[in-house]
Amino acid sequence: MSETLVSIWTDANTQWVLIGTLLLGLASGLVGSFALLKKQSLIGDAMAHAALPGICIAFLIHGAKSMSWFIIGAALSGLLATFFIEKMIKLSRIKEDTSIGLVLSVFFGFGIVLLTYINHQSKGNQSGIDDFIFGQAASLVGADVKLISAVAVLLIIITVVLFKELKLLTFDPQFAQGIGLPTGLLNGLLMTLIVGVVVIGLQAVGVILMSAMLITPAIAARYWTERLDHMVIIAGAIGAFSGVFGTLLSTTTKGMPTGPLIIVAATIIFLISMVFAPKRGLLVKAIRRSRLRRQVAREQVLQTLYDFTEQEYLQYKTGNGFHEQQIMKKRPISMSMLRKVLRSLEKEELVRRTGDALWCLTEKGLTEAYHITLRNRLMEVYLMNEMNYAHFNIRQDMDLLQLPEKVLTELKQLLKQYGREPLVLPANMNAGKRPYHRYASIGGK
Amino acid sequence: MNPVTVENVTVAYHSKPVLQEVSFSVPEGKLIGIIGPNGAGKSTLIKAVLGLVPRASGDVYIYGKPYKQQRKLVGYVPQRGSVDWDFPTNALDVVLMGRYGHIGWFKRPSKKDVEFAMSCLEKVGMKEYANRQISQLSGGQQQRVFLARALAQDATVYFMDEPFVGVDAATEKAIISLLNELKAQGKTVLVVHHDLQTVKEYFDWVLLLNMRKIAIGPTEETFTLENLQKTYGGRLTFLHQQHAIVNQQ
């Protein structure tokens, strides 16, 4: 193994192959980002599959293996397939997904027929044309790689230079057309870029997996950023890394096709991205969701206890705390969640246990619950009178207590009118109120 | 010279006519509501003017010249639902797109463009959201970003496609004050609108449309029961409501 590794670094051809797959990966990441965002992932798949008959026909006409002929053949039959897909959508009731599925399988089937025919011919066996199915980077020779690299560099340059235009075309084609961008031409260009990447990737990655090469780095990159320029760079890097990784592994392991290894590498990066990405990742989302659920439950429990306290206060009585079942009847919360919340509230000294499954707010808890209740009820009256406060630009997620003093007073006035004012005040705000026995500082025993 | 002149414009989708022989011109410095029932071709009219849908026949002039020569004079606010808001970009970046027509090919936006885009965001009250990812904005905020982008086009004639749909009260007020500001600067604004209740309050002029032009003119003279009946013909229960609206105002 170590010997083979050494030979890879010293062998000129392998070095070229590595550079080729690196550039190929980079170009697919760049172009793939736009294809993905333009929701044309499947078009890439159709083109790749449809390239097979083109390659075979090129071989039959030329009579020998030639990279430039293959590229021409693949590009032509790929474009022909796209043409059929678009015509089918335009002229019939067939939808895009169906027409892509149809054209893709017909072209691929035809390609396999041709491939089998070539293999049955005498010289067919040595043609290496089988490599186009799953890709075999090792079978590339210097001249092929140079051609692939040159095309890849060209595609990369076009994408970078036209970044701004392609961005607008992808985000808002109508607006782009409105300001005078030739959207038809740009669309055609993007399609050509996709064809270009697919075609130069066919020998290394293979017709079946080439679309994954286009899409996987881009979708993985999408998880890490909210900026298109960053996404394109990250996608390019992931593509380049997967290309190099797959090539290295397939040249060191005998008979291993390159395409699947490249895709496995890209897919692993994608899975890692999907789970661990800092903002959009599943893990962060799950944590955020459970935290939010806890927080909502906490506020609901405090609010409910406050409502009960308020009722008690209005009825001039002081009971022995409130039962867990009572809380659950009022709020949709599971027993386990309720217990969890109550325990953590107890730790915060916001509630205290007054008996078996009986709880009440502590004075500290009363203050907290009072503010939660006030906020919620202010939001209620605000929503009832939204039009009058439109200029304050209030959002649902805003803390209403942070509003300017004048508006807050006005809203509190409304609260009083509607009889929704929270009645049990925290000790430090309770000057001159009717005594209430539960809290010493409000009334005292 | 009239900012917008439309002559005999006909548009057809799949040989089904959507707009037939529509001709009108609008005066400078007015807020013009384009009113009509669903499927009347209101959005199509705007798109036909901007060359976004092919015209089967007819011509469009902006200040007396074909639209193609006058692009820089025209600002456009598409319907909010026409784009994917999960696109990886932020509010400022979307507003900067309004500058693209001025920046030209290949070049990146300059510092001046960024400053200008920021001032446009400020005008719609969205300055603090400049770096916010666009999917994290509310519907109303997204609409305001689109408005800011149109402002960044620094145009003299604006076309807006249903800017009031699905926005909160704050955004509605922000849009209205912005429209009035544009008018005060002598700019002409055409707005596709379908809330009949607010027509009299918002617009100086109305264009009533239902595949054909029904009427165009100052709101008091044109927004009449008779014209509305012609526009919405046959929808009786609806007409009843319109009657109430017209009388009430």
Side-chain angles (χ1 to χ4, degrees), chain B residues 1-11 19-27 32 34 41-51 53 55-67 74 157-159 188 190 205 207-209 211-213 216:
Chain B
M1 192 177 288
N2 287 322
V4 182
T5 305
V6 169
E7 283 177 3
N8 290 318
V9 164
T10 298
V11 177
L19 285 176
Q20 279 180 358
E21 305 266 312
V22 175
S23 301
F24 65 90
S25 51
V26 300
I32 301 135
I34 303 176
K42 304 182 296 276
S43 299
T44 309
L45 176 65
I46 286 192
K47 287 179 187 165
V49 170
L50 301 181
V53 296
R55 297 190 290 267
S57 70
D59 294 300
V60 173
Y61 300 100
I62 306 291
Y63 282 103
K65 286 186 194 154
Y67 172 67
V74 177
V157 185
Y158 285 94
F159 292 89
T188 311
L190 289 93
W205 268 50
L207 164 62
L208 294 169
L209 191 76
M211 284 172 70
R212 299 156 197 276
K213 177 192 78 183
I216 182 165

Short mmCIF file of all heavy atoms in Angstrom, two decimals, chain B residues 1-11 19-27 32 34 41-51 53 55-67 74 157-159 188 190 205 207-209 211-213 216:
data_model
loop_
_atom_site.label_atom_id
_atom_site.label_comp_id
_atom_site.label_asym_id
_atom_site.label_seq_id
_atom_site.Cartn_x
_atom_site.Cartn_y
_atom_site.Cartn_z
N MET B 1 -44.83 64.72 -21.99
CA MET B 1 -44.92 63.38 -22.61
C MET B 1 -45.41 62.35 -21.59
O MET B 1 -45.05 62.42 -20.42
CB MET B 1 -43.55 62.98 -23.15
CG MET B 1 -43.61 61.77 -24.04
SD MET B 1 -42.00 61.42 -24.70
CE MET B 1 -41.78 62.74 -25.87
N ASN B 2 -46.21 61.43 -22.04
CA ASN B 2 -46.75 60.44 -21.11
C ASN B 2 -45.69 59.42 -20.71
O ASN B 2 -44.96 58.92 -21.57
CB ASN B 2 -47.91 59.68 -21.75
CG ASN B 2 -49.14 60.55 -21.84
OD1 ASN B 2 -49.43 61.32 -20.93
ND2 ASN B 2 -49.86 60.46 -22.95
N PRO B 3 -45.62 59.14 -19.41
CA PRO B 3 -44.62 58.15 -18.97
C PRO B 3 -44.88 56.75 -19.54
O PRO B 3 -43.93 56.03 -19.84
CB PRO B 3 -44.73 58.15 -17.45
CG PRO B 3 -45.91 58.96 -17.10
CD PRO B 3 -46.29 59.79 -18.28
N VAL B 4 -46.15 56.37 -19.64
CA VAL B 4 -46.45 55.04 -20.18
C VAL B 4 -47.54 55.15 -21.23
O VAL B 4 -48.58 55.74 -20.98
CB VAL B 4 -46.94 54.08 -19.07
CG1 VAL B 4 -47.20 52.69 -19.66
CG2 VAL B 4 -45.94 53.98 -17.93
N THR B 5 -47.27 54.64 -22.40
CA THR B 5 -48.30 54.57 -23.44
C THR B 5 -48.37 53.14 -23.95
O THR B 5 -47.35 52.56 -24.32
CB THR B 5 -47.97 55.50 -24.61
OG1 THR B 5 -47.77 56.81 -24.09
CG2 THR B 5 -49.10 55.52 -25.62
N VAL B 6 -49.58 52.58 -23.91
CA VAL B 6 -49.78 51.21 -24.38
C VAL B 6 -50.72 51.27 -25.57
O VAL B 6 -51.78 51.90 -25.48
CB VAL B 6 -50.38 50.34 -23.25
CG1 VAL B 6 -50.83 49.00 -23.77
CG2 VAL B 6 -49.36 50.16 -22.13
N GLU B 7 -50.31 50.70 -26.69
CA GLU B 7 -51.14 50.77 -27.89
C GLU B 7 -51.51 49.40 -28.41
O GLU B 7 -50.64 48.63 -28.80
CB GLU B 7 -50.37 51.54 -28.98
CG GLU B 7 -50.37 53.04 -28.76
CD GLU B 7 -49.54 53.76 -29.81
OE1 GLU B 7 -49.02 53.09 -30.72
OE2 GLU B 7 -49.40 54.98 -29.69
N ASN B 8 -52.79 49.12 -28.36
CA ASN B 8 -53.33 47.89 -28.97
C ASN B 8 -52.62 46.61 -28.56
O ASN B 8 -52.34 45.75 -29.39
CB ASN B 8 -53.26 47.97 -30.50
CG ASN B 8 -54.25 48.99 -31.01
OD1 ASN B 8 -55.37 49.04 -30.53
ND2 ASN B 8 -53.81 49.80 -31.94
N VAL B 9 -52.32 46.49 -27.27
CA VAL B 9 -51.58 45.31 -26.84
C VAL B 9 -52.51 44.11 -26.69
O VAL B 9 -53.54 44.17 -26.02
CB VAL B 9 -50.83 45.57 -25.52
CG1 VAL B 9 -50.39 44.26 -24.89
CG2 VAL B 9 -49.62 46.45 -25.79
N THR B 10 -52.14 43.03 -27.35
CA THR B 10 -52.86 41.76 -27.22
C THR B 10 -51.88 40.71 -26.76
O THR B 10 -50.76 40.62 -27.28
CB THR B 10 -53.48 41.34 -28.57
OG1 THR B 10 -54.42 42.33 -28.96
CG2 THR B 10 -54.17 39.98 -28.46
N VAL B 11 -52.29 39.92 -25.77
CA VAL B 11 -51.44 38.83 -25.28
C VAL B 11 -52.26 37.56 -25.26
O VAL B 11 -53.43 37.57 -24.87
CB VAL B 11 -50.91 39.12 -23.86
CG1 VAL B 11 -50.09 37.95 -23.35
CG2 VAL B 11 -50.06 40.38 -23.84
N LEU B 19 -55.23 39.26 -22.92
CA LEU B 19 -55.47 40.69 -23.02
C LEU B 19 -55.83 40.97 -24.48
O LEU B 19 -55.20 40.43 -25.39
CB LEU B 19 -54.22 41.49 -22.69
CG LEU B 19 -53.82 41.60 -21.23
CD1 LEU B 19 -52.51 42.35 -21.13
CD2 LEU B 19 -54.89 42.33 -20.43
N GLN B 20 -56.86 41.80 -24.66
CA GLN B 20 -57.27 42.08 -26.05
C GLN B 20 -57.23 43.57 -26.33
O GLN B 20 -57.95 44.34 -25.69
CB GLN B 20 -58.67 41.54 -26.30
CG GLN B 20 -58.65 40.04 -26.59
CD GLN B 20 -60.03 39.51 -26.84
OE1 GLN B 20 -60.99 40.25 -26.76
NE2 GLN B 20 -60.11 38.23 -27.15
N GLU B 21 -56.39 43.96 -27.26
CA GLU B 21 -56.41 45.32 -27.78
C GLU B 21 -56.45 46.37 -26.68
O GLU B 21 -57.30 47.24 -26.69
CB GLU B 21 -57.63 45.51 -28.69
CG GLU B 21 -57.74 44.49 -29.81
CD GLU B 21 -57.12 45.01 -31.08
OE1 GLU B 21 -57.42 46.15 -31.46
OE2 GLU B 21 -56.31 44.27 -31.69
N VAL B 22 -55.55 46.26 -25.74
CA VAL B 22 -55.56 47.22 -24.65
C VAL B 22 -54.73 48.45 -25.04
O VAL B 22 -53.58 48.31 -25.46
CB VAL B 22 -54.98 46.60 -23.37
CG1 VAL B 22 -54.86 47.65 -22.26
CG2 VAL B 22 -55.86 45.45 -22.91
N SER B 23 -55.37 49.62 -24.94
CA SER B 23 -54.66 50.88 -25.22
C SER B 23 -54.96 51.87 -24.11
O SER B 23 -56.10 52.00 -23.67
CB SER B 23 -55.13 51.50 -26.53
OG SER B 23 -54.93 50.62 -27.59
N PHE B 24 -53.94 52.53 -23.66
CA PHE B 24 -54.15 53.62 -22.70
C PHE B 24 -52.84 54.36 -22.54
O PHE B 24 -51.77 53.89 -22.94
CB PHE B 24 -54.62 53.08 -21.34
CG PHE B 24 -53.61 52.23 -20.64
CD1 PHE B 24 -52.70 52.80 -19.76
CD2 PHE B 24 -53.56 50.85 -20.84
CE1 PHE B 24 -51.76 52.01 -19.10
CE2 PHE B 24 -52.63 50.06 -20.19
CZ PHE B 24 -51.72 50.65 -19.32
N SER B 25 -52.93 55.56 -21.95
CA SER B 25 -51.69 56.18 -21.51
C SER B 25 -51.96 56.85 -20.17
O SER B 25 -53.10 57.16 -19.84
CB SER B 25 -51.15 57.17 -22.54
OG SER B 25 -52.17 58.05 -22.90
N VAL B 26 -50.92 57.01 -19.40
CA VAL B 26 -51.12 57.56 -18.06
C VAL B 26 -50.31 58.84 -17.92
O VAL B 26 -49.26 58.99 -18.54
CB VAL B 26 -50.69 56.55 -16.97
CG1 VAL B 26 -51.48 55.27 -17.06
CG2 VAL B 26 -49.20 56.26 -17.03
N PRO B 27 -50.82 59.78 -17.11
CA PRO B 27 -50.11 61.04 -16.90
C PRO B 27 -48.97 60.87 -15.89
O PRO B 27 -48.94 59.92 -15.13
CB PRO B 27 -51.19 61.95 -16.34
CG PRO B 27 -52.13 61.04 -15.64
CD PRO B 27 -52.10 59.73 -16.38
N ILE B 32 -51.41 55.02 -9.88
CA ILE B 32 -52.47 54.43 -10.70
C ILE B 32 -52.73 52.99 -10.28
O ILE B 32 -51.82 52.16 -10.28
CB ILE B 32 -52.07 54.48 -12.19
CG1 ILE B 32 -51.84 55.93 -12.60
CG2 ILE B 32 -53.15 53.84 -13.08
CD1 ILE B 32 -50.62 56.14 -13.41
N ILE B 34 -54.34 49.39 -10.93
CA ILE B 34 -54.86 48.54 -12.00
C ILE B 34 -55.81 47.55 -11.35
O ILE B 34 -55.39 46.71 -10.55
CB ILE B 34 -53.72 47.81 -12.75
CG1 ILE B 34 -52.72 48.85 -13.30
CG2 ILE B 34 -54.28 46.94 -13.87
CD1 ILE B 34 -51.52 48.23 -13.97
N GLY B 41 -56.11 39.67 -16.29
CA GLY B 41 -54.91 40.01 -17.05
C GLY B 41 -54.13 41.17 -16.47
O GLY B 41 -53.33 41.79 -17.17
N LYS B 42 -54.34 41.47 -15.19
CA LYS B 42 -53.66 42.61 -14.57
C LYS B 42 -52.14 42.41 -14.55
O LYS B 42 -51.38 43.26 -15.01
CB LYS B 42 -54.16 42.83 -13.13
CG LYS B 42 -55.67 43.02 -13.02
CD LYS B 42 -56.09 43.29 -11.59
CE LYS B 42 -55.85 42.16 -10.63
NZ LYS B 42 -56.86 41.12 -10.59
N SER B 43 -51.72 41.26 -13.99
CA SER B 43 -50.27 40.98 -13.95
C SER B 43 -49.71 40.83 -15.35
O SER B 43 -48.60 41.28 -15.64
CB SER B 43 -50.00 39.70 -13.17
OG SER B 43 -50.45 39.82 -11.86
N THR B 44 -50.51 40.21 -16.22
CA THR B 44 -50.05 40.00 -17.60
C THR B 44 -49.80 41.34 -18.28
O THR B 44 -48.84 41.48 -19.03
CB THR B 44 -51.10 39.20 -18.38
OG1 THR B 44 -51.42 38.04 -17.63
CG2 THR B 44 -50.58 38.80 -19.73
N LEU B 45 -50.65 42.31 -17.96
CA LEU B 45 -50.47 43.63 -18.57
C LEU B 45 -49.10 44.20 -18.20
O LEU B 45 -48.35 44.66 -19.06
CB LEU B 45 -51.59 44.57 -18.11
CG LEU B 45 -51.47 46.01 -18.60
CD1 LEU B 45 -51.60 46.06 -20.11
CD2 LEU B 45 -52.50 46.91 -17.95
N ILE B 46 -48.79 44.14 -16.91
CA ILE B 46 -47.48 44.63 -16.47
C ILE B 46 -46.36 43.87 -17.17
O ILE B 46 -45.40 44.45 -17.66
CB ILE B 46 -47.34 44.48 -14.93
CG1 ILE B 46 -48.18 45.53 -14.23
CG2 ILE B 46 -45.89 44.65 -14.52
CD1 ILE B 46 -47.89 45.63 -12.76
N LYS B 47 -46.50 42.55 -17.18
CA LYS B 47 -45.45 41.73 -17.79
C LYS B 47 -45.31 42.01 -19.28
O LYS B 47 -44.21 41.98 -19.82
CB LYS B 47 -45.73 40.24 -17.56
CG LYS B 47 -45.47 39.84 -16.11
CD LYS B 47 -45.77 38.39 -15.88
CE LYS B 47 -45.67 38.05 -14.40
NZ LYS B 47 -46.29 36.75 -14.11
N ALA B 48 -46.44 42.28 -19.92
CA ALA B 48 -46.37 42.59 -21.36
C ALA B 48 -45.65 43.92 -21.57
O ALA B 48 -44.87 44.06 -22.50
CB ALA B 48 -47.77 42.63 -21.95
N VAL B 49 -45.91 44.88 -20.68
CA VAL B 49 -45.24 46.17 -20.80
C VAL B 49 -43.73 45.99 -20.65
O VAL B 49 -42.94 46.56 -21.38
CB VAL B 49 -45.78 47.16 -19.74
CG1 VAL B 49 -44.92 48.41 -19.69
CG2 VAL B 49 -47.22 47.53 -20.05
N LEU B 50 -43.33 45.17 -19.67
CA LEU B 50 -41.91 44.98 -19.40
C LEU B 50 -41.27 43.93 -20.32
O LEU B 50 -40.11 43.59 -20.15
CB LEU B 50 -41.71 44.55 -17.94
CG LEU B 50 -42.23 45.51 -16.87
CD1 LEU B 50 -41.94 44.98 -15.49
CD2 LEU B 50 -41.61 46.88 -17.03
N GLY B 51 -42.06 43.40 -21.22
CA GLY B 51 -41.50 42.41 -22.15
C GLY B 51 -41.24 41.06 -21.52
O GLY B 51 -40.43 40.28 -22.02
N VAL B 53 -43.65 38.77 -21.00
CA VAL B 53 -44.42 37.80 -21.79
C VAL B 53 -44.48 38.37 -23.21
O VAL B 53 -44.53 39.58 -23.39
CB VAL B 53 -45.85 37.58 -21.23
CG1 VAL B 53 -45.81 36.98 -19.86
CG2 VAL B 53 -46.64 38.87 -21.23
N ARG B 55 -45.78 39.73 -26.61
CA ARG B 55 -47.03 40.36 -27.06
C ARG B 55 -47.38 39.80 -28.43
O ARG B 55 -46.52 39.70 -29.30
CB ARG B 55 -46.85 41.88 -27.18
CG ARG B 55 -46.53 42.56 -25.89
CD ARG B 55 -46.63 44.08 -26.07
NE ARG B 55 -45.57 44.61 -26.89
CZ ARG B 55 -44.42 45.08 -26.40
NH1 ARG B 55 -44.18 45.05 -25.11
NH2 ARG B 55 -43.50 45.57 -27.20
N ALA B 56 -48.67 39.43 -28.57
CA ALA B 56 -49.11 38.96 -29.89
C ALA B 56 -49.15 40.14 -30.86
O ALA B 56 -48.90 39.99 -32.06
CB ALA B 56 -50.46 38.29 -29.79
N SER B 57 -49.49 41.31 -30.32
CA SER B 57 -49.45 42.52 -31.14
C SER B 57 -49.40 43.72 -30.22
O SER B 57 -49.58 43.60 -29.02
CB SER B 57 -50.68 42.60 -32.04
OG SER B 57 -51.82 42.87 -31.23
N GLY B 58 -49.16 44.89 -30.78
CA GLY B 58 -49.19 46.11 -30.00
C GLY B 58 -47.82 46.64 -29.62
O GLY B 58 -46.82 45.96 -29.79
N ASP B 59 -47.82 47.89 -29.15
CA ASP B 59 -46.56 48.54 -28.79
C ASP B 59 -46.67 49.18 -27.42
O ASP B 59 -47.75 49.53 -26.96
CB ASP B 59 -46.23 49.64 -29.81
CG ASP B 59 -45.94 49.04 -31.18
OD1 ASP B 59 -44.99 48.23 -31.25
OD2 ASP B 59 -46.68 49.35 -32.12
N VAL B 60 -45.52 49.32 -26.80
CA VAL B 60 -45.45 49.96 -25.49
C VAL B 60 -44.37 51.03 -25.56
O VAL B 60 -43.28 50.78 -26.06
CB VAL B 60 -45.09 48.92 -24.41
CG1 VAL B 60 -44.85 49.63 -23.08
CG2 VAL B 60 -46.19 47.89 -24.27
N TYR B 61 -44.71 52.21 -25.06
CA TYR B 61 -43.72 53.29 -25.03
C TYR B 61 -43.56 53.82 -23.62
O TYR B 61 -44.54 54.04 -22.91
CB TYR B 61 -44.14 54.43 -25.96
CG TYR B 61 -44.28 53.98 -27.38
CD1 TYR B 61 -45.55 53.69 -27.91
CD2 TYR B 61 -43.17 53.80 -28.19
CE1 TYR B 61 -45.69 53.25 -29.21
CE2 TYR B 61 -43.30 53.36 -29.50
CZ TYR B 61 -44.56 53.08 -30.00
OH TYR B 61 -44.69 52.65 -31.29
N ILE B 62 -42.32 54.00 -23.23
CA ILE B 62 -42.02 54.66 -21.97
C ILE B 62 -41.42 56.02 -22.33
O ILE B 62 -40.39 56.07 -23.00
CB ILE B 62 -41.01 53.84 -21.14
CG1 ILE B 62 -41.48 52.40 -20.93
CG2 ILE B 62 -40.70 54.53 -19.82
CD1 ILE B 62 -42.67 52.25 -20.03
N TYR B 63 -42.07 57.07 -21.93
CA TYR B 63 -41.68 58.43 -22.32
C TYR B 63 -41.39 58.50 -23.83
O TYR B 63 -40.36 58.99 -24.27
CB TYR B 63 -40.47 58.91 -21.51
CG TYR B 63 -40.87 59.34 -20.12
CD1 TYR B 63 -40.63 58.52 -19.03
CD2 TYR B 63 -41.51 60.56 -19.90
CE1 TYR B 63 -41.01 58.90 -17.76
CE2 TYR B 63 -41.90 60.96 -18.64
CZ TYR B 63 -41.64 60.12 -17.57
OH TYR B 63 -42.03 60.51 -16.31
N GLY B 64 -42.31 57.93 -24.58
CA GLY B 64 -42.25 58.09 -26.03
C GLY B 64 -41.30 57.17 -26.78
O GLY B 64 -41.23 57.21 -28.00
N LYS B 65 -40.52 56.35 -26.03
CA LYS B 65 -39.61 55.44 -26.73
C LYS B 65 -39.90 54.00 -26.31
O LYS B 65 -40.43 53.77 -25.23
CB LYS B 65 -38.16 55.78 -26.36
CG LYS B 65 -37.66 57.04 -27.01
CD LYS B 65 -36.18 57.21 -26.71
CE LYS B 65 -35.72 58.61 -27.06
NZ LYS B 65 -34.55 59.00 -26.26
N PRO B 66 -39.55 53.03 -27.15
CA PRO B 66 -39.80 51.63 -26.80
C PRO B 66 -39.12 51.28 -25.48
O PRO B 66 -38.07 51.82 -25.15
CB PRO B 66 -39.17 50.85 -27.95
CG PRO B 66 -39.09 51.81 -29.08
CD PRO B 66 -38.96 53.17 -28.49
N TYR B 67 -39.73 50.34 -24.75
CA TYR B 67 -39.24 49.96 -23.45
C TYR B 67 -37.77 49.58 -23.46
O TYR B 67 -37.00 49.93 -22.56
CB TYR B 67 -40.08 48.80 -22.89
CG TYR B 67 -39.53 48.22 -21.63
CD1 TYR B 67 -39.51 48.97 -20.46
CD2 TYR B 67 -39.00 46.93 -21.61
CE1 TYR B 67 -38.98 48.45 -19.31
CE2 TYR B 67 -38.46 46.41 -20.46
CZ TYR B 67 -38.45 47.16 -19.30
OH TYR B 67 -37.91 46.65 -18.16
N VAL B 74 -37.30 52.41 -15.63
CA VAL B 74 -38.41 51.60 -15.14
C VAL B 74 -37.98 50.71 -13.97
O VAL B 74 -36.95 50.05 -14.03
CB VAL B 74 -38.97 50.71 -16.27
CG1 VAL B 74 -40.07 49.80 -15.75
CG2 VAL B 74 -39.50 51.59 -17.40
N VAL B 157 -40.52 55.46 -13.53
CA VAL B 157 -41.82 54.80 -13.62
C VAL B 157 -41.71 53.46 -12.90
O VAL B 157 -40.76 52.72 -13.12
CB VAL B 157 -42.21 54.54 -15.10
CG1 VAL B 157 -43.62 53.95 -15.16
CG2 VAL B 157 -42.12 55.79 -15.92
N TYR B 158 -42.67 53.19 -12.03
CA TYR B 158 -42.63 51.93 -11.30
C TYR B 158 -43.84 51.07 -11.60
O TYR B 158 -44.96 51.58 -11.70
CB TYR B 158 -42.58 52.19 -9.79
CG TYR B 158 -41.23 52.66 -9.32
CD1 TYR B 158 -40.95 54.02 -9.20
CD2 TYR B 158 -40.24 51.75 -9.00
CE1 TYR B 158 -39.71 54.46 -8.79
CE2 TYR B 158 -38.99 52.17 -8.58
CZ TYR B 158 -38.73 53.53 -8.48
OH TYR B 158 -37.50 53.94 -8.07
N PHE B 159 -43.60 49.77 -11.74
CA PHE B 159 -44.69 48.82 -11.88
C PHE B 159 -44.64 47.86 -10.70
O PHE B 159 -43.59 47.27 -10.42
CB PHE B 159 -44.54 48.02 -13.18
CG PHE B 159 -44.73 48.85 -14.42
CD1 PHE B 159 -43.67 49.50 -15.01
CD2 PHE B 159 -46.00 48.98 -14.97
CE1 PHE B 159 -43.85 50.28 -16.15
CE2 PHE B 159 -46.18 49.74 -16.13
CZ PHE B 159 -45.11 50.39 -16.70
N THR B 188 -44.08 58.15 -11.47
CA THR B 188 -45.35 57.55 -11.82
C THR B 188 -45.34 56.10 -11.33
O THR B 188 -44.37 55.38 -11.56
CB THR B 188 -45.55 57.57 -13.34
OG1 THR B 188 -45.28 58.89 -13.78
CG2 THR B 188 -46.95 57.16 -13.72
N LEU B 190 -47.56 52.47 -11.16
CA LEU B 190 -48.72 51.65 -11.52
C LEU B 190 -48.74 50.42 -10.62
O LEU B 190 -47.73 49.70 -10.54
CB LEU B 190 -48.66 51.23 -12.99
CG LEU B 190 -48.89 52.35 -14.00
CD1 LEU B 190 -47.57 52.95 -14.43
CD2 LEU B 190 -49.67 51.85 -15.20
N TRP B 205 -55.57 57.64 -9.81
CA TRP B 205 -56.14 57.18 -11.07
C TRP B 205 -56.42 55.69 -10.97
O TRP B 205 -55.78 54.99 -10.19
CB TRP B 205 -55.13 57.40 -12.22
CG TRP B 205 -55.30 58.72 -12.91
CD1 TRP B 205 -55.39 59.95 -12.34
CD2 TRP B 205 -55.39 58.91 -14.33
NE1 TRP B 205 -55.51 60.91 -13.29
CE2 TRP B 205 -55.52 60.31 -14.53
CE3 TRP B 205 -55.37 58.07 -15.43
CZ2 TRP B 205 -55.64 60.87 -15.81
CZ3 TRP B 205 -55.48 58.62 -16.70
CH2 TRP B 205 -55.62 60.01 -16.88
N LEU B 207 -57.18 52.13 -13.52
CA LEU B 207 -57.37 51.49 -14.82
C LEU B 207 -58.19 50.26 -14.54
O LEU B 207 -57.77 49.38 -13.79
CB LEU B 207 -56.01 51.11 -15.42
CG LEU B 207 -56.02 50.10 -16.57
CD1 LEU B 207 -56.79 50.65 -17.76
CD2 LEU B 207 -54.60 49.77 -17.00
N LEU B 208 -59.42 50.22 -15.05
CA LEU B 208 -60.27 49.05 -14.85
C LEU B 208 -60.08 48.11 -16.02
O LEU B 208 -60.14 48.52 -17.18
CB LEU B 208 -61.74 49.48 -14.74
CG LEU B 208 -62.05 50.32 -13.49
CD1 LEU B 208 -63.43 50.93 -13.58
CD2 LEU B 208 -61.92 49.48 -12.24
N LEU B 209 -59.80 46.85 -15.67
CA LEU B 209 -59.36 45.92 -16.69
C LEU B 209 -60.08 44.59 -16.54
O LEU B 209 -60.23 44.07 -15.43
CB LEU B 209 -57.85 45.71 -16.53
CG LEU B 209 -57.10 44.98 -17.63
CD1 LEU B 209 -56.89 45.91 -18.81
CD2 LEU B 209 -55.74 44.52 -17.12
N MET B 211 -59.65 41.70 -19.32
CA MET B 211 -59.22 41.27 -20.65
C MET B 211 -59.16 42.45 -21.63
O MET B 211 -58.26 42.54 -22.43
CB MET B 211 -60.08 40.14 -21.20
CG MET B 211 -59.72 38.81 -20.54
SD MET B 211 -60.80 37.46 -20.95
CE MET B 211 -60.41 37.18 -22.64
N ARG B 212 -60.15 43.31 -21.54
CA ARG B 212 -60.07 44.56 -22.30
C ARG B 212 -60.00 45.69 -21.29
O ARG B 212 -60.33 45.52 -20.14
CB ARG B 212 -61.34 44.77 -23.13
CG ARG B 212 -61.61 43.71 -24.13
CD ARG B 212 -63.11 43.69 -24.45
NE ARG B 212 -63.45 42.43 -25.10
CZ ARG B 212 -63.30 42.22 -26.40
NH1 ARG B 212 -62.84 43.18 -27.17
NH2 ARG B 212 -63.62 41.06 -26.93
N LYS B 213 -59.59 46.85 -21.79
CA LYS B 213 -59.64 48.02 -20.93
C LYS B 213 -61.11 48.43 -20.79
O LYS B 213 -61.80 48.59 -21.79
CB LYS B 213 -58.82 49.16 -21.54
CG LYS B 213 -58.90 50.42 -20.73
CD LYS B 213 -58.33 51.59 -21.49
CE LYS B 213 -59.34 52.10 -22.51
NZ LYS B 213 -58.80 53.19 -23.31
N ILE B 216 -60.35 54.17 -17.90
CA ILE B 216 -59.18 54.69 -17.20
C ILE B 216 -59.41 56.17 -16.96
O ILE B 216 -60.05 56.85 -17.76
CB ILE B 216 -57.89 54.46 -18.01
CG1 ILE B 216 -56.68 54.98 -17.21
CG2 ILE B 216 -57.95 55.12 -19.38
CD1 ILE B 216 -55.34 54.51 -17.72
#
